[in-house]
Amino acid sequence: MSGVPEPAGPDGPCREVDATLARVFGLFGKRWTGLVLAVLTESPTYYAQLRRAVPGISERMLSERLTELADAGLVVRDVDPGPPLRVRYEVTEAGAALRPALSALARWADEHYPGT
């Protein structure tokens, strides 16, 4: 503590970020996560199709994001024994519950964030 008072906004000191939002953005703040999830909320998708659906993502990054989404309980992995061996990904109930939020973000971007 330096004894210097915190800058105050119109309603007092700035509040700390909500812990729940910090946890959510720890996952969704990572590049590609939202796009991968947006594709998967539309329908179950095989790995190769998913890679084509998200232009620019590397195989390594896609694998990392899918693992993180599975660990978070938002995606499940299903292996078709083949031949050929194919891996399909599908959102869980928790993942599907994000559809309205993703749609709302897309509408917001159309209205307020034209991009570059």
Side-chain angles (χ1 to χ4, degrees):
M1 291 183 39
S2 65
V4 177
E6 265 189 55
D11 298 323
C14 181
R15 294 184 189 164
E16 287 186 24
V17 69
D18 179 79
T20 302
L21 280 178
R23 191 174 71 243
V24 167
F25 278 102
L27 176 63
F28 288 104
K30 293 180 180 178
R31 187 171 185 193
W32 307 111
T33 301
L35 297 177
V36 169
L37 195 55
V39 170
L40 291 174
T41 59
E42 295 299 317
S43 66
T45 306
Y46 287 101
Y47 182 89
Q49 295 170 317
L50 186 54
R51 182 143 190 297
R52 286 190 298 272
V54 183
I57 193 169
S58 69
E59 287 188 26
R60 182 177 143 272
M61 187 59 60
L62 178 56
S63 292
E64 284 181 22
R65 293 301 174 257
L66 288 167
T67 298
E68 290 170 347
L69 289 167
D71 289 348
L74 301 174
V75 169
V76 291
R77 179 180 191 263
D78 184 41
V79 178
D80 291 347
L85 180 81
R86 294 175 68 184
V87 181
R88 184 173 67 103
Y89 292 88
E90 182 175 1
V91 292
T92 62
E93 187 176 327
L98 286 163
R99 268 188 212 113
L102 292 169
S103 294
L105 278 171
R107 281 191 308 277
W108 174 86
D110 282 341
E111 294 174 20
H112 304 287
Y113 189 70
T116 56

